[in-house]
Amino acid sequence: MNGILGMTELALDTDLTAEQLGYLRTIKSSADALLVIINDILDFSKIEAGQLHFEEIDFPVIDVVADAMKALAVHAEEKGLEMLFAVDPRLPVRVRGDPLRLRQVITNLVGNAIKFTEQGEVEARVRLDHQDDAGVTLQFQVRDTGIGIAPEKHRQIFEAFSQGDASTTRRFGGTGLGLTICNRLVALMHGQLSVESAVGQGSIFQFTARFMASVEAGTAESVDTRACVGKRVLVVDDSRAQARQAGVMLQALGLRPQIAFTGPDALRQFDLAQAEAVGFDLVLIDSIMPGMDGFELATQLIAKGFKASRIILLTTILNQKIDNLKCERLGVAIRISKPCFPGDLAEALHAQQNDGNVDLAPFEVDRFLADATGGGQRKLRILVAEDNAVNQTLVRKLLEKVGHHVVLANNGQEAVDRFSEDHFDLILMDVQMPVMSGIEASQAIRAREQRRSYVLSGGWHSTPIIALTAHAMAGDREACLAAGMDDHLSKPLRSADLYAAIERVLAGPEVAPEPVAGASSSKSAGSHMTDIEAALASHDRDKLMTAAHDLRDRLGSPEALLAVDAAIRVELAARRGDFAAAGRDARELRQEIERIGMLMPPTAR
């Protein structure tokens, strides 16, 4: 799959006839579909073997559900479906659990709802089911107006490799594993998945999931919409469900919505409010409506003297370019791409308060993308350790395409030999190789770096190593990091993922070398140790990872190997969000750097 997808992606970036382009796009779409099947089977096998492990990190529930739905919005629009989202205002801002697995379940259920619905709507709801000091139980619901499922088939659809009937498989495709995987994932989240459905009446899939209370104090950052409190808003949408949803979100923000379901009805309500001297402060309009659409309604409102800056348009993703042009011609600066979520609406209201201006981070050119287009900094000398000829060719082409020089090694031992003989800016290391594995080769390279760097400058200067692996089991990333690798990529490789990984490992600040012994080295180690302990005290996961990684790179003497190992364990525990383990490893790390004289023990201060 790595070779098929990678080579096809390279071929699509060359000069092609229309016929060739069509063939290659078919190959790529077929390979993507096959990859989905492979991933389903891998997930199912991991669950069956009890090898699927869950992360425990803090995350915002609403954002996870919203992101999953936005990723599927284009497919829904292509079918002419409305996507709706309703959220319980009592939901906690953040919970602790595995956002990736939650998103996997939401994506599967919403994706199925879109697949099996030809007209109407797909709605996701999240509500608080139960809350106590230890955590919360949330209920998630995905409703559609699709083909429905016969009651006698309800149990069957949760069985492996099974769908409602054979005609469903022929018409819609799929492995029949999606709902089985969802059912198992929900059970691992201490919840239950169920369905309510009848043929021709749509379906409702709902599940509960248990999450721990967030360890991060405070509330999430929110957009300031206080200036909008009490304002009257005319909501215009032919979809009654979407109009009601917009009204609920506006009420939650403190505004006073009034609903119209057609353009002419909206004009009547607008004229009546003007006549009674209680006009509307804002108008929220869906751009696509039968008869008088949103743009025509906005044109007539502006002709009546209503300011374009007080109109917010709900536009579509598929017609974004045309819709934006229409908005510009009308002078309407604020628009939201459907589906609309609470955060989107709050940001739009905030922008409207600021006359259409939104505070954005300053634009910065991505350094790696600048390099890739020939306008950036130095080209890299990269060692690629890979035993498969197809994968060698793919990685070499992807790297040479952006101007880097590539040296190939056919196994781990060759990689170690090449490293000993030459200088490289970066190493891409396959994990599974003959003679010597990528894990063993990385450990050997780190050991040689320590000896080489210590002799030359008294500091450990490590060459970034990125693992390339087909492994999908939990713990693979940790094993690679523990061996001294800096990042991890799963096959099949995508060019964007490869370039992003290279950007990540090269993004760290360059630090001048310091001697291992002496005052400056002690001060450096002490400073990093202080940062580690401060990050532990504040439960700051990102700062803890950074401080442990920086200290690991400063520990350059041969006798510091145990300290390096402890620093790696602190970094890995921080990545998992396991502050208890990180604290134990940090205490061992302090003892080790005190033992080798890089830090004065507390009693000597």
Side-chain angles (χ1 to χ4, degrees):
M1 290 306 297
N2 189 45
I4 294 169
L5 284 168
M7 291 300 184
T8 304
E9 188 175 338
L10 283 172
L12 283 169
D13 205 27
T14 63
D15 292 330
L16 301 165
T17 65
E19 186 177 19
Q20 291 168 335
L21 184 63
Y23 291 152
L24 285 170
R25 283 178 174 169
T26 300
I27 291 171
K28 187 175 186 302
S29 63
S30 299
D32 284 333
L34 180 58
L35 185 61
V36 170
I37 295 172
I38 292 170
N39 285 335
D40 277 352
I41 293 172
L42 283 173
D43 275 344
F44 182 68
S45 63
K46 284 188 285 186
I47 292 171
E48 289 291 286
Q51 294 295 318
L52 193 68
H53 300 288
F54 278 63
E55 277 194 298
E56 290 183 1
I57 61 174
D58 290 346
F59 67 94
V61 176
I62 295 176
D63 288 357
V64 169
V65 179
D67 288 346
M69 293 188 70
K70 286 178 181 178
L72 298 166
V74 172
H75 188 198
E77 278 193 14
E78 287 173 341
K79 298 184 71 172
L81 304 177
E82 292 280 6
M83 290 191 78
L84 308 173
F85 180 58
V87 60
D88 187 338
R90 301 173 299 158
L91 281 185
V93 174
R94 302 175 76 85
V95 297
R96 189 169 181 81
D98 192 328
L100 179 65
R101 297 304 175 187
L102 174 61
R103 177 171 176 158
Q104 185 176 353
V105 176
I106 296 293
T107 298
N108 189 285
L109 295 180
V110 174
N112 279 349
I114 294 171
K115 182 196 294 187
F116 296 115
T117 302
E118 295 303 323
Q119 60 182 0
E121 60 198 32
V122 172
E123 180 184 35
R125 289 178 170 270
V126 188
R127 75 173 187 87
L128 180 65
D129 186 71
H130 174 74
Q131 185 169 18
D132 53 43
D133 292 339
V136 296
T137 300
L138 304 182
Q139 185 186 76
F140 301 83
Q141 186 182 92
V142 176
R143 178 184 63 82
D144 65 60
T145 55
I147 61 175
I149 306 164
E152 64 270 20
K153 301 288 186 181
H154 287 186
R155 180 174 296 181
Q156 179 184 330
I157 61 174
F158 294 109
E159 296 174 0
F161 304 105
S162 177
Q163 292 188 335
D165 53 48
S167 64
T168 300
T169 304
R170 287 194 301 272
R171 182 180 174 191
F172 296 101
T175 62
L177 278 175
L179 286 175
T180 305
I181 292 170
C182 286
N183 199 25
R184 304 291 178 86
L185 290 176
V186 168
L188 290 170
M189 289 189 280
H190 309 288
Q192 289 185 319
L193 174 62
S194 62
V195 61
E196 298 175 19
S197 183
V199 175
Q201 297 181 25
S203 302
I204 299 175
F205 284 85
Q206 60 185 17
F207 69 94
T208 54
R210 178 72 179 172
F211 301 97
M212 293 183 288
S214 170
V215 299
E216 296 184 8
T219 59
E221 294 182 8
S222 59
V223 177
D224 185 4
T225 58
R226 287 174 296 179
C228 291
V229 172
K231 287 189 175 182
R232 300 186 72 235
V233 185
L234 178 60
V235 178
V236 190
D237 200 318
D238 63 300
S239 166
R240 293 179 179 273
Q242 189 162 277
R244 286 194 296 270
Q245 175 186 303
V248 170
M249 289 191 291
L250 288 165
Q251 285 179 330
L253 292 169
L255 290 85
R256 295 184 293 157
Q258 187 169 316
I259 295 175
F261 298 114
T262 67
D265 184 31
L267 290 174
R268 283 192 294 272
Q269 293 193 38
F270 178 84
D271 290 339
L272 181 61
Q274 292 289 94
E276 295 177 352
V278 288
F280 294 102
D281 301 291
L282 299 166
V283 180
L284 177 66
I285 310 172
D286 185 10
S287 61
I288 297 182
M289 295 187 292
M292 183 186 297
D293 70 11
F295 297 105
E296 175 60 26
L297 174 59
T299 300
Q300 294 201 30
L301 288 173
I302 292 168
K304 290 175 177 287
F306 195 72
K307 291 183 179 179
S309 62
R310 292 159 62 186
I311 296 174
I312 300 173
L313 270 164
L314 295 171
T315 61
T316 64
I317 296 174
L318 290 177
N319 297 324
Q320 206 166 59
K321 186 177 292 186
I322 296 172
D323 288 351
N324 286 347
L325 181 60
K326 290 180 179 178
C327 287
E328 288 172 10
R329 288 176 178 171
L330 287 171
V332 175
I334 313 299
R335 51 255 193 189
I336 304 171
S337 290
K338 297 189 291 185
C340 178
F341 297 95
D344 301 328
L345 188 57
E347 288 179 1
L349 293 171
H350 177 68
Q352 194 279 328
Q353 294 171 51
N354 292 278
D355 298 321
N357 297 316
V358 185
D359 295 329
L360 299 174
F363 176 76
E364 296 179 359
V365 176
D366 186 295
R367 176 173 60 81
F368 192 83
L369 291 180
D371 288 346
T373 54
Q377 303 168 11
R378 66 188 176 103
K379 305 306 179 185
L380 303 175
R381 186 172 176 80
I382 300 177
L383 174 61
V384 176
E386 167 67 66
D387 63 307
N388 182 281
V390 174
N391 292 340
Q392 283 183 350
T393 302
L394 171 61
V395 176
R396 179 171 58 82
K397 290 285 187 182
L398 289 174
L399 295 173
E400 289 178 346
K401 181 180 175 182
V402 293
H404 299 309
H405 178 75
V406 176
V407 175
L408 295 173
N410 295 300
N411 56 59
Q413 185 59 60
E414 280 190 25
V416 175
D417 295 341
R418 298 274 193 278
F419 177 80
S420 300
E421 297 163 358
D422 205 344
H423 167 77
F424 297 97
D425 302 299
L426 178 74
I427 301 171
L428 297 176
M429 183 76 72
D430 186 27
V431 172
Q432 291 279 41
M433 291 186 290
V435 184
M436 179 185 287
S437 72
I439 296 287
E440 294 170 321
S442 297
Q443 291 170 333
I445 286 171
R446 289 297 183 232
R448 293 187 183 213
E449 274 180 332
Q450 282 192 311
R451 294 194 293 272
R452 178 195 290 177
S453 296
Y454 179 62
V455 170
L456 293 178
S457 64
W460 181 8
H461 303 289
S462 60
T463 303
I465 302 177
I466 299 174
L468 304 177
T469 176
H471 290 183
M473 301 302 287
D476 288 332
R477 180 179 175 85
E478 286 75 10
C480 292
L481 293 171
M485 299 183 185
D486 299 273
D487 211 323
H488 173 278
L489 281 174
S490 295
K491 299 174 186 175
L493 281 182
R494 309 279 187 167
S495 58
D497 295 337
L498 176 61
Y499 299 151
I502 294 174
E503 169 72 10
R504 286 195 300 271
V505 298
L506 296 178
E510 294 185 2
V511 182
E514 296 181 5
V516 173
S520 64
S521 175
S522 296
K523 182 179 179 181
S524 174
S527 175
H528 286 307
M529 198 65 226
T530 299
D531 290 343
I532 288 172
E533 290 166 345
L536 278 168
S538 61
H539 277 205
D540 192 321
R541 181 169 168 263
D542 292 336
K543 286 184 179 178
L544 181 56
M545 283 192 294
T546 300
H549 185 87
D550 289 347
L551 179 53
R552 184 194 80 180
D553 283 352
R554 291 295 187 93
L555 297 171
S557 63
E559 64 267 25
L561 288 176
L562 291 176
V564 170
D565 180 66
I568 290 172
R569 283 187 276 113
V570 172
E571 183 179 355
L572 293 175
R575 287 178 187 274
R576 299 192 305 271
D578 188 346
F579 289 97
R584 292 192 297 271
D585 294 328
R587 288 191 290 274
E588 183 179 333
L589 174 58
R590 170 175 279 280
Q591 291 170 358
E592 281 300 314
I593 59 177
E594 286 174 355
R595 183 183 64 80
I596 61 177
M598 295 183 69
L599 185 69
M600 295 297 290
T603 55
R605 291 185 189 135

